[in-house]
Amino acid sequence: MTNKELQQRREAAVPRGVSNAGPIFAASAKGATVTDVEGKEFIDFAGGIGVNNVGHCHPKVVEAIREQAGKLLHSCYHVFQYEGYVALAEKLNALTPGDHAKKTVLVNSGSEAVENAVKVARRASGRPAIVASASGFHGRTLLASTLTAKVMPYKAGFGPYAPEVYHIPYAYCYRCPVGSSYPGCKMQCAELLKKSFIDMVNPESVAAVILEPVAGEGGFVVPPKEYFPRIREICDEFGILLIIDEVQSGICRTGSLFAIEQWDVVPDLLTSAKSLGGGTVISACTGRAELMDAPQVGGLGGTYGGNPVSCAAALAVLDVVESENLVAKSQALGTKVRSAFEDMAKKYDCIGDVRGLGSMLALELVHDKAAKTPAPDIAKALVAKCRENGLIILSCGHSGNVIRTLMPLVISDAELEKGMSVLETAFAEVAKG
Ligand code: PMP
């Protein structure tokens, strides 16, 4: 079957609300290269939105899945326990920031990890409200999409949303929410959390603040080094828990195992997913043991949460992280890509901002550098041109005007060079047009 034929079948069978990346149907993938059903190869700078930091079909992950699938495919922990769940929880408890005792619940998606984190925070604190960011994305279930920023287009028409969720502006320096500039700003954006306690919500009713360390769907926005320490301080002052959503930024993407380590801040609860499973379905909420134990028996998890095959895959991913030194690889890749992006920014006026952390890097595109008018049309044209020429790259940001890279960390030099050259050619053509 051709891509076109499959696309026609898809249009008839799958609702349009399920994002449609265009008529490329993957047949197989290895490392950072995806082959479609017609045999055309694509370099993957999107990593399935960061699901594949270890690369597509990493041999150790595939082997772990094969071995586990032959032994025990499924066993809901209501019925039989299995070691993989406990082993993965132990690993995540040891690897997430903070020396305190931790516990982990395993579920199936980033949204579910976030939902479980909020349940834990509410049950442990006895408070209902959650403060989230106006640049955040936390998923598509009702509560997770309530937490997601109002500006995100995915939210339209699904209300009424869950009550007791409040949004504050994020530390988005390129478009500073208080019209100031770093470092002279004295982190007024962090003080907006405190301000929200005067004009939005009584802090005594706030269970948690939830933030991504790098706003992913929001445009790869990286807050300055003082931001999270100040947010942590404010949370502590009011007895509010801090949930850090590392669904997109976690598992080496930013040059550390978890991004929040780079602010030297310890969250109370941390969510991870995507790259944790190396392409399989798994997510986690890890947190202070006493908080995690607050919900009643049966209050957390679900039928498929921490499935034995996904646990085996995630344990293999965490082994690869160590054995292939992925933290160092992410840093080296980030340095290389950032320097190429900075060179491109000198050439193309539409690149308003180069930003990111480690290898979670992005270009914000504008029509006018001074006015910073968002250029989603340029982003769209670039994504399309790259696809035509064998490179998968994604856009993000409130206005869809940010190009982001989440390439597998195991990408070869040849794949990286080829991908960067396709991107550069696309810029040259689109900028000329
Ligand atoms: N949190 C963050 C930070 C995310 O980037 C995403 C997905 N893009 C989610 C939560 C939701 O994850 P899922 O799509 O697996 O539900």
Side-chain angles (χ1 to χ4, degrees), residues 44-89:
D44 184 6
F45 272 17
I49 318 195
V51 170
N52 274 308
N53 288 356
V54 298
H56 292 280
C57 297
H58 191 289
K60 288 194 178 151
V61 176
V62 172
E63 192 41 45
I65 292 170
R66 225 191 284 279
E67 201 189 317
Q68 183 60 47
K71 283 198 295 206
L72 180 71
L73 262 184
H74 175 75
S75 171
C76 181
Y77 41 77
H78 295 301
V79 187
F80 293 108
Q81 311 292 329
Y82 46 93
E83 192 186 345
Y85 193 115
V86 179
L88 182 56

Side-chain angles (χ1 to χ4, degrees), residues 377-397:
D377 49 334
I378 299 183
K380 214 171 158 189
L382 276 171
V383 169
K385 191 57 74 196
C386 286
R387 278 173 176 264
E388 246 172 71
N389 295 328
L391 173 68
I392 305 291
I393 197 157
L394 293 170
S395 60
C396 62

Side-chain angles (χ1 to χ4, degrees), residues 222-264:
V222 189
K225 63 181 190 309
E226 298 86 350
Y227 183 73
F228 285 108
R230 181 62 189 135
I231 293 286
R232 178 76 264 186
E233 249 174 37
I234 298 172
C235 285
D236 290 346
E237 188 184 337
F238 293 93
I240 294 168
L241 300 170
L242 179 60
I243 305 172
I244 291 293
D245 182 353
E246 295 254 15
V247 164
Q248 192 159 160
S249 57
I251 320 295
C252 307
R253 175 51 50 191
T254 63
S256 47
L257 187 62
F258 293 102
I260 195 66
E261 293 168 35
Q262 298 190 48
W263 283 266
D264 214 4

Side-chain angles (χ1 to χ4, degrees), residues 49 108-112 114 137-141 144 212 214 216-217 245-249 271 273-274 283 404:
I49 318 195
N108 309 295
S109 65
S111 307
E112 270 187 89
V114 165
F137 181 86
H138 300 288
R140 288 179 171 82
T141 53
E212 292 166 82
V214 178
E217 302 303 310
D245 182 353
E246 295 254 15
V247 164
Q248 192 159 160
S249 57
T271 54
K274 293 191 187 279
S283 65
R404 58 175 154 171

Side-chain angles (χ1 to χ4, degrees), residues 119-132:
K119 279 179 168 179
V120 168
R122 283 182 167 160
R123 194 74 167 88
S125 67
R127 300 173 175 189
I130 307 289
V131 177

